[in-house]
Amino acid sequence: MTATAEGKSAVGTGHVRLEGLDKVTGAAVYAGEVHFDGLVHGCLVLSTVARGRIRSVDAAPVLAMPGVLDVWHHGNAPRLNTDFVGMLGPTDPLLGLFQNDRVPHAGWPVALVVAETPEQAREAADSLAVDYEAEPHDVEFTAGRPEAYTPGGTPVGTVETSKGDVEAGLAASAVVVEAEYTTPEEYHNSMEPHAATARWEGGRLELVDSNQGTPMVAGDIAQLFSLDPESVRVRAEHVGGAFGNKGTRPHQVAAVMAATALRRPVRVALTRRQLFSVVGYRPATAQRVRLGADPDGRLRVLDHLALNQTSTTSEYVEASASPGRTLYDADAHRTSHRLLRLDVPTPTFMRAPGEAPGSFALESALDELAEKCGVDPIELRLRNEPEAGPLSGLPFSSRNLRACFEEGARRFGWAGRDPRPGVRREGRWLVGTGTAAATFPSGAAPSTAAVTAEADGSFTVGVNASDIGTGARTAMALVAAEALGVDTDAVRVRIADSDLGPAMIAGGSMGTRSWAWAVSAAARELRERLVPGAPVPAEGVTARSDTGEAIGALPQKERYSFASQFAEVAVDPATGEVRVRRMLGTFAAGRIVNPLTARSQLLGGMVWGISMALHEEGARDRASGGIVGGDLAGYHVAANADVPAIEAHWVDDPDPDDPVGIKGIGEIGIVGAAAAIANAVWHATGVRHRHLPIRPDRVLTAGQEAAKA
Ligand code: MOS
């Protein structure tokens, strides 16, 4: 298996997951099942009040229970350092486990019980008596509350943008759309709940974890416990889904706290129900979109105002108004965000943060404008294609939205669509089709990698990627094989270990692009250093890369992926049931590294769009302040029966400034999907649904109101 002169086109070739066999046979070991001698188990105790303070924790009876080793709470926990800025911004006070007696929301961690077995820990945790001094809480999210305010900043971008005069523009517009849209709290619900196993070994802290980036978690843990960063090792070899909330969370802090005190390996695994209060979620949003246009649909005004809830302890901005900054230009153009502080957990990034709820509002409004102008929804969007960044004036690195619509419309069969709503009946079903545009930022962040030529002719890639289900490990093998000019089988890949060095996290749709940049750079350098035909020494030959400088030198451009989404739905007006019959997404999202896993990634996003449009809703109970039915029985995510024939396609769209041509496909699959479905429901029924999810009761109520009118 020596390097071939002509090279190979491994990138772009479908390849099954390298760890697939291990996963399906159970050989892959996850953070919640790794075994260490002497392992003991911790269970978090969460507050039952939504606001107040802890008066007392009565640990004595629990300490007398079978197997219980210790209990930590605000009265006896070691001091932690929470005064630092991590990779994703200022530290969430949630990580300052048991540092004071305040309770800012229902489900706040108030204690940790550690016992010999998970069952003993859980029973003891359930028995722990915590006495609270409850205060009145406020969890009511509605638009128009006077306490809403404009935040100072957000890790995901600018809070407000503005050019031109919106009010004057609306007054001068022949056609105006003004509508309010809402989306509920939504939860990540990875298949694998968060789990971490901590131990001290040879003077180092080792954390076997399920996360999106070991450098992020290792850095946070070192800071929190004031440890030398070199003494902290975090591994996350297999991760059963993440979607934005597998950063540093209370379970890792709890595991390290207990392992340090007990000097025994400690595992803290969260229960499914605990995920509904301690690992973040997508906040509820209320969005107002105002569009002004000429009679032919050309936009004069785009005004998108988005409100979301945040907690009393941290600010989280769901940047829902952001898609309009990329998709459409207008003389008067304003996008702005507001927050409402409530006694709820701090929201966090969730697949396409901002773009997912924001595209529902914006792309629904565009459909309303198309209706009012009597212009086909695709034609309306193409008439509004900007030449350059609407706000920056910078060129796009590439913008193939038009191709996505042309190719998508052809495959979906859009031509000849009757634009009239509510006129297609098939038995008891009303049938309609809808479409939406989508965009998501494409970025790369500095990363390091090492590629080693081994004496046996194989190659070892070390890159601190995290494979959260995307197939990152396999993608890196393909990228390395192509750069080395060898068979993919000759490449082994080591990932997800903080000892491998710094790298981008699996987030922001930037992981694959960032890691591939580093891997291809190291592989190319190695190839230059190897003498063809000469034997490789026993210790191998290693080349290393650091992409910091190269990425810092990227020319300023508008860098985005684009997509078109199409959906066909059937609505039963007698029951209010909505069935998605088929969906088709067409993506211009850079060079596709592994078509097999890329298709899965895009389809997964589209499935989530169905889920978002029709099912998902975290119902917050005003009385308790918590989520009602916070589990997979009470919170419905799209299941097989909800998912019809779905297709994901892509158009050729290599990024001109990326060494591998990648843009990133982590998140764009969900963007626009809910809007395409909502627009199809309008086309089927003639009723606009501006509040997600489009539940049967909402369809029935709207149908009755429409019948009265
Ligand atoms: Mo993604 S929401 O950046 O993990």
Side-chain angles (χ1 to χ4, degrees):
M1 288 186 265
T2 50
T4 53
E6 73 277 14
K8 298 262 168 62
S9 253
V11 171
T13 310
H15 200 292
V16 296
R17 289 164 203 270
L18 297 178
E19 76 289 1
L21 186 66
D22 283 351
K23 279 182 173 166
V24 299
T25 57
V29 176
Y30 288 80
E33 57 191 14
V34 61
H35 181 75
F36 293 125
D37 287 340
L39 179 67
V40 295
H41 301 266
C43 184
L44 284 173
V45 179
L46 307 184
S47 74
T48 53
V49 301
R51 185 185 170 92
R53 49 177 289 276
I54 305 162
R55 263 201 218 103
S56 63
V57 177
D58 189 7
V62 157
L63 285 166
M65 289 177 71
V68 173
L69 297 166
D70 215 335
V71 178
W72 285 269
H73 50 80
H74 74 282
N76 68 349
R79 293 301 96 193
L80 299 175
N81 163 41
T82 54
D83 187 21
F84 67 94
V85 176
M87 268 176 88
L88 300 178
T91 315
D92 192 322
L94 179 69
L95 298 183
L97 223 50
F98 321 136
Q99 297 298 289
N100 58 57
D101 63 356
R102 289 300 308 171
V103 173
H105 62 75
W108 175 262
V110 296
L112 173 74
V113 179
V114 176
E116 295 286 348
T117 71
E119 294 79 9
Q120 289 168 335
R122 190 152 173 190
E123 186 176 5
D126 286 347
S127 312
L128 186 70
V130 180
D131 186 31
Y132 301 93
E133 187 178 305
E135 298 165 11
H137 61 257
D138 176 2
V139 297
E140 190 171 335
F141 179 78
T142 49
R145 285 192 57 170
E147 308 93 321
Y149 68 99
T150 303
T154 153
V156 290
T158 318
V159 168
E160 290 198 309
T161 63
S162 179
K163 70 170 181 180
D165 187 332
V166 166
E167 304 305 331
L170 287 171
S173 294
V175 186
V176 171
V177 168
E178 173 167 357
E180 306 263 351
Y181 303 86
T182 62
T183 63
E185 289 184 27
E186 294 162 358
Y187 287 78
H188 303 68
N189 274 311
S190 302
M191 193 100 77
E192 175 207 27
H194 297 52
T197 306
R199 66 167 177 172
W200 282 90
E201 183 71 21
R204 294 184 85 198
L205 173 68
E206 184 185 27
L207 196 60
V208 179
D209 187 30
S210 174
N211 66 52
Q212 291 177 240
T214 66
M216 168 175 61
V217 175
D220 288 348
I221 292 293
Q223 289 273 6
L224 282 160
F225 289 90
S226 302
L227 299 169
D228 173 5
E230 294 292 310
S231 70
V232 179
R233 181 182 187 190
V234 177
R235 295 191 287 128
E237 193 179 357
H238 298 292
V239 179
F243 311 118
N245 72 355
K246 279 188 175 163
T248 311
R249 290 286 165 186
H251 65 294
Q252 297 117 325
V253 183
V256 172
M257 186 181 283
T260 303
L262 295 172
R263 292 282 151 177
R264 286 179 72 172
V266 176
R267 165 138 70 239
V268 177
L270 298 181
T271 65
R272 178 65 57 183
R273 281 174 175 269
Q274 288 177 333
L275 302 184
F276 283 80
S277 66
V278 299
V279 296
Y281 62 103
R282 196 196 301 284
T285 74
Q287 306 176 52
R288 185 195 66 186
V289 179
R290 296 193 295 172
L291 303 174
D294 291 335
D296 65 357
R298 269 173 236 276
L299 287 168
R300 283 171 168 264
V301 182
L302 186 157
D303 183 26
H304 192 163
L305 170 65
L307 171 74
N308 71 264
Q309 71 194 61
T310 191
S311 68
T312 59
T313 60
S314 294
E315 282 184 337
Y316 173 80
V317 178
E318 182 78 16
S320 302
S322 58
R325 296 171 182 171
T326 309
L327 282 174
Y328 306 112
D329 201 358
D331 290 340
H333 193 293
R334 185 166 64 192
T335 63
S336 42
H337 298 92
R338 303 274 187 280
L339 294 182
L340 181 64
R341 283 192 186 277
L342 296 172
D343 298 311
V344 297
T346 307
T348 194
F349 311 104
M350 186 167 123
R351 203 174 197 169
E355 279 79 3
S359 64
F360 163 65
L362 181 65
E363 289 300 298
S364 293
L366 260 287
D367 205 64
E368 300 198 33
L369 182 65
E371 177 196 354
K372 281 197 169 179
C373 294
V375 176
D376 176 79
I378 295 177
E379 175 58 27
L380 182 90
R381 287 169 174 87
L382 297 183
R383 282 181 193 173
N384 283 292
E385 270 287 275
E387 293 294 318
L391 296 167
S392 67
L394 291 168
F396 288 95
S397 62
S398 63
R399 181 178 172 113
N400 283 315
L401 180 59
R402 179 179 292 272
C404 291
F405 270 117
E406 287 168 355
E407 181 72 3
R410 185 183 66 74
R411 288 182 186 268
F412 186 78
W414 185 265
R417 171 184 183 260
D418 181 346
R420 294 174 301 153
V423 297
R424 286 153 301 275
R425 204 172 253 288
E426 290 180 21
R428 63 193 173 99
W429 300 100
L430 288 167
V431 178
T433 54
T435 189
T439 186
F440 198 83
S442 165
S447 298
T448 62
V451 180
T452 301
E454 309 287 359
D456 66 1
S458 67
F459 295 85
T460 304
V461 173
V463 60
N464 200 355
S466 182
D467 192 334
I468 59 176
T470 58
R473 183 185 275 107
T474 315
M476 290 310 111
L478 296 173
V479 167
E482 175 165 276
L484 291 165
V486 302
D487 285 340
T488 309
D489 294 345
V491 180
R492 79 179 63 73
V493 182
R494 294 182 53 219
I495 62 167
D497 181 340
S498 57
D499 280 0
L500 288 168
M504 175 59 186
I505 63 168
S509 297
M510 292 163 70
T512 301
R513 182 172 173 202
S514 303
W515 307 319
W517 196 319
V519 167
S520 60
R524 275 193 309 273
E525 195 196 309
L526 178 66
R527 205 174 167 176
E528 278 173 23
R529 278 170 45 189
L530 291 178
V531 182
V536 173
E539 69 275 17
V541 178
T542 298
R544 295 177 193 281
S545 65
D546 182 339
T547 60
E549 265 179 42
I551 286 172
L554 268 181
Q556 280 234 316
K557 287 183 191 171
E558 293 279 342
R559 300 179 183 282
Y560 291 88
S561 295
F562 295 92
S564 68
Q565 300 268 15
F566 290 84
E568 178 181 306
V569 304
V571 182
D572 182 344
T575 64
E577 183 182 6
V578 178
R579 306 292 309 184
V580 176
R581 283 188 165 181
R582 58 191 181 104
M583 276 187 93
L584 191 144
T586 306
F587 298 85
R591 191 164 169 222
I592 299 302
V593 177
N594 183 354
L596 200 62
T597 48
R599 182 164 277 112
S600 295
Q601 182 72 16
L602 295 168
L603 294 180
M606 294 169 72
V607 167
W608 209 339
I610 296 174
S611 211
M612 179 180 168
L614 303 182
H615 310 304
E616 293 195 36
E617 181 171 29
R620 196 161 284 282
D621 174 39
R622 278 189 207 159
S624 70
I627 291 288
V628 181
D631 52 44
L632 288 177
Y635 181 97
H636 183 66
V637 300
N640 282 0
D642 302 305
V643 179
I646 306 189
E647 293 177 35
H649 302 278
W650 44 84
V651 300
D652 198 32
D653 180 50
D655 186 281
D657 301 314
D658 183 85
V660 190
I662 298 169
K663 279 190 174 178
I665 59 164
E667 296 169 88
I668 193 167
I670 191 175
V671 183
I677 293 166
N679 294 339
V681 171
W682 168 79
H683 190 232
T685 62
V687 177
R688 290 282 174 195
H689 285 271
R690 303 187 183 92
H691 308 288
L692 294 186
I694 306 174
R695 299 187 312 244
D697 63 299
R698 285 178 164 157
V699 175
L700 285 175
T701 308
Q704 285 155 6
E705 277 166 14
K708 264 186 255 157

